Amino acid sequence: MCSCSSTVKNEKTYAYFGGEIVNPNTDYIVMTKGDSYIDTITLDRNNRFLYKIENVEDGVYNFKHNPENQIVLIEKGDSILMRLNTIEFDESLVFTGKGSRKNNFLIDMYLQNEIERKKLGRADFMSSPGNFKKHQDSLLQDKLIAFETLIKKNELSSLAKKISQSTIILDYYSRHEIYYNGRYKLGGMDIIKDLPATFFSYRDRINFNDNDLERLYSYHRFLNYYFANSVIANYGKELSKYYDPVGNTVYKLNLIDSLIDHSFIKSSLLKRTTLRFLLDSKNNWDSNKVLKHYLSISSNKKSQRELKKLSKSISKLMPNRQIPDQNLITSKKKNVKLSSLFNKPITALYFWSMESKEHYIRAHKKAEYLNSLYPDIDFIAVNTDDEQTKNWLKTIQRHHYNPDYEYSFKYPKCSSEELVIHYRNKVILVDNEGKIINPNADLFANIFERQLMQYSQLASLDN
């Protein structure tokens, strides 16, 4: 029987992936592998799905249920079922069936790494390199013991072992890079010069073109920190042409281009680097220079189109420009224009989604607090969810939010693109004529309240 079972397993060229999504945001999920689109899978009336992958290519796949996504390791012969609740997407994700144990291990390590990484702070960055490494070595050892237990109790393929171990090791490497970056931000070049040469000894073992790891979060996180720190190290060499943000970004793009040959990994890192610069840029001149350089070395036409479109939207959101008008829905289900809401010297537009309960509760509390300090500023909440009017109204009623300051985009996707809403904490400040004061304020940044005070004083002087 064992022999027959083994033969059948080896002959299978397909795998099954299915499951159930509780509180779904849409009626489908999208599966991809690397930069290859696999399929869009529709949920049935019970919010379940089952999909057969013919001629499956063993490796890490990505499934996206807008706006969240996660990975799943699928190999020939697997029959994996997952269950998750969108309210706690990653935390609720559980796998069952053949091939489930390796994936449960991956999600457990992912969550544990997230918790430990978030705990990194000033105290860790100020500790000596030796003490920091000693602590991280201890955490690493615990995970490696869990990995050894996994492979002893389960018959895993060499690929599954590699992926499982890599998600541990690469996060360990990332924390060393985060430590370097954190110390630099606290004390500049002087504080990172005391790092021993052995601190980054692992860098010699990095494969920048690992096809098996192309979809692994820990791999991309490490690479992002590695290249960011490479820019800092190069800056320390006092090469004057890299003293400015544009020069540093161009250097980083060139370094990625020179070290990485894998098309998906290279495209992902080039796009992320350029995207981050465009979102943070304060003027169109710098943005155009970086975008032009990106376009000269990128071969991904889709990403090129996306970043060109983003750049155009950002160019319309510079200070003193008129904010692009948008169609909104009021809490009374009436259609209004965004331009009709600017009744005070300053209006603060902040954005939220029902898909992130913790964020929208914090955002509304912060806005209410700030409004009590600055009554001359209107704080207007704009919901960004697609086709969720009924649930949006229930949410603002349940939390007793002031309906006069609650709106929803009528065309969420278009409006989010035009106003470049790429992160949850974003606030756009405009004057009573609809001219932009600040297109990229951060609701929870320490500097935000000081900015409001300055803008409020200037508005009073103008009046």
Side-chain angles (χ1 to χ4, degrees):
M1 290 180 65
C2 290
S3 176
C4 290
S5 175
S6 177
T7 302
V8 172
K9 177 181 178 181
N10 291 335
E11 288 179 350
K12 288 182 178 178
T13 60
Y14 59 87
Y16 285 99
F17 179 57
E20 177 184 7
I21 298 180
V22 181
N23 298 314
N25 301 319
T26 62
D27 62 353
Y28 63 90
I29 69 167
V30 177
M31 283 199 72
T32 56
K33 188 179 189 303
D35 53 0
S36 299
Y37 166 81
I38 304 300
D39 208 346
T40 297
I41 308 168
T42 305
L43 305 181
D44 64 19
R45 68 175 68 181
N46 297 313
N47 301 325
R48 296 173 181 169
F49 69 95
L50 183 63
Y51 184 73
K52 184 178 181 180
I53 307 175
E54 298 283 3
N55 299 315
V56 64
E57 180 185 351
D58 296 347
V60 177
Y61 289 72
N62 180 278
F63 67 91
K64 181 174 183 179
H65 182 70
N66 208 26
E68 305 279 2
N69 63 88
Q70 192 49 266
I71 62 170
V72 56
L73 173 55
I74 302 177
E75 298 175 277
K76 296 178 183 67
D78 280 346
S79 184
I80 302 169
L81 295 176
M82 65 88 169
R83 188 178 190 275
L84 65 83
N85 189 322
T86 59
I87 295 175
E88 295 287 342
F89 193 94
D90 295 322
E91 292 77 6
S92 67
L93 180 57
V94 177
F95 296 95
T96 57
K98 189 176 181 181
S100 61
R101 291 183 181 179
K102 61 193 175 189
N103 282 294
N104 282 326
F105 181 83
L106 288 175
I107 192 65
D108 286 346
M109 288 300 104
Y110 172 83
L111 293 172
Q112 193 170 337
N113 287 333
E114 288 285 301
I115 293 170
E116 292 173 1
R117 203 166 45 252
K118 285 179 180 178
K119 288 182 179 179
L120 291 176
R122 185 184 180 91
D124 297 282
F125 302 147
M126 293 305 295
S127 67
S128 69
N131 286 337
F132 177 83
K133 190 176 186 306
K134 183 178 179 181
H135 178 55
Q136 295 306 318
D137 286 348
S138 175
L139 295 174
L140 172 65
Q141 192 59 35
D142 290 341
K143 294 186 181 69
L144 290 178
I145 291 173
F147 169 71
E148 291 298 327
T149 301
L150 173 73
I151 62 176
K152 283 179 181 178
K153 292 184 176 181
N154 303 276
E155 187 179 340
L156 299 184
S157 68
S158 58
L159 175 63
K161 290 177 183 177
K162 177 182 178 179
I163 298 296
S164 300
Q165 189 175 43
S166 294
T167 196
I168 297 171
I169 299 295
L170 286 166
D171 201 81
Y172 169 78
Y173 293 166
S174 289
R175 295 182 205 185
H176 286 66
E177 301 292 336
I178 292 171
Y179 175 81
Y180 177 94
N181 201 277
R183 281 176 75 83
Y184 171 74
K185 289 179 179 178
L186 288 174
M189 294 302 302
D190 291 336
I191 201 172
I192 58 177
K193 287 179 179 178
D194 63 345
L195 291 177
T198 56
F199 192 77
F200 294 120
S201 59
Y202 59 84
R203 286 180 172 178
D204 296 332
R205 301 189 292 274
I206 298 301
N207 178 358
F208 291 95
N209 299 281
D210 198 318
N211 190 64
D212 294 332
L213 306 181
E214 65 174 0
R215 270 292 182 179
L216 204 61
Y217 292 135
S218 52
Y219 185 51
H220 282 267
R221 182 182 294 111
F222 166 74
L223 291 178
N224 277 309
Y225 275 110
Y226 170 83
F227 284 110
N229 289 342
S230 295
V231 171
I232 294 173
N234 188 71
Y235 180 82
K237 295 177 184 177
E238 299 182 356
L239 299 176
S240 60
K241 72 184 222 180
Y242 296 123
Y243 268 23
D244 64 286
V246 173
N248 283 330
T249 304
V250 168
Y251 173 80
K252 185 177 179 181
L253 291 172
N254 287 339
L255 190 62
I256 293 170
D257 186 44
S258 65
L259 291 181
I260 298 180
D261 299 317
H262 191 286
S263 61
F264 174 74
I265 299 171
K266 175 184 282 193
S267 175
S268 177
L269 288 168
L270 289 177
K271 179 181 178 181
R272 182 185 178 92
T273 300
T274 307
L275 174 68
R276 187 72 267 159
F277 183 89
L278 293 177
L279 292 175
D280 293 339
S281 179
K282 298 294 188 292
N283 65 76
N284 292 332
W285 177 259
D286 287 349
S287 296
N288 290 335
K289 287 176 69 175
V290 169
L291 179 63
K292 183 179 180 180
H293 188 72
Y294 163 79
L295 294 174
S296 71
I297 59 178
S298 168
S299 60
N300 190 305
K301 300 300 181 183
K302 180 181 178 182
S303 294
Q304 288 181 0
R305 289 193 298 271
E306 290 175 353
L307 290 181
K308 283 180 182 178
K309 186 176 181 180
L310 174 67
S311 181
K312 287 182 179 179
S313 296
I314 290 174
S315 68
K316 298 176 182 178
L317 288 176
M318 291 297 171
N320 297 318
R321 295 201 62 169
Q322 201 77 20
I323 189 170
D325 211 356
Q326 306 298 318
N327 294 294
L328 303 176
I329 302 172
T330 72
S331 58
K332 296 179 180 178
K333 299 183 181 180
K334 293 182 178 180
N335 295 324
V336 296
K337 288 287 190 179
L338 176 62
S339 55
S340 68
L341 308 183
F342 309 137
N343 301 314
K344 289 189 176 180
I346 300 174
T347 297
L349 302 169
Y350 65 102
F351 310 91
W352 64 280
S353 166
M354 289 176 288
E355 292 155 7
S356 182
K357 184 176 181 180
E358 180 184 0
H359 171 263
Y360 74 68
I361 290 176
R362 285 185 64 218
H364 279 83
K365 284 183 178 179
K366 185 66 181 288
E368 184 179 4
Y369 163 73
L370 292 172
N371 190 228
S372 68
L373 297 178
Y374 303 98
D376 289 337
I377 299 177
D378 269 341
F379 289 82
I380 293 178
V382 183
N383 180 263
T384 60
D385 293 309
D386 193 12
E387 299 178 359
Q388 293 282 338
T389 304
K390 185 177 179 180
N391 292 330
W392 162 63
L393 292 173
K394 285 182 179 179
T395 301
I396 63 176
Q397 290 168 2
R398 183 167 64 251
H399 290 280
H400 306 291
Y401 296 145
N402 189 336
D404 294 336
Y405 296 91
E406 296 288 337
Y407 296 84
S408 178
F409 283 135
K410 186 173 183 179
Y411 307 109
K413 187 176 185 299
C414 293
S415 294
S416 294
E417 288 178 354
E418 285 195 20
L419 298 183
V420 194
I421 304 171
H422 275 255
Y423 57 98
R424 292 170 177 167
N425 299 345
K426 173 168 176 148
V427 178
I428 302 177
L429 298 169
V430 296
D431 64 17
N432 56 357
E433 295 180 349
K435 290 184 179 179
I436 298 170
I437 300 171
N438 187 333
N440 282 310
D442 187 325
L443 184 62
F444 298 107
N446 294 329
I447 197 176
F448 184 54
E449 193 170 328
R450 188 159 67 249
Q451 289 174 331
L452 290 180
M453 183 185 299
Q454 293 171 346
Y455 297 144
S456 184
Q457 290 173 347
L458 288 173
S460 297
L461 289 173
D462 289 341
N463 287 336

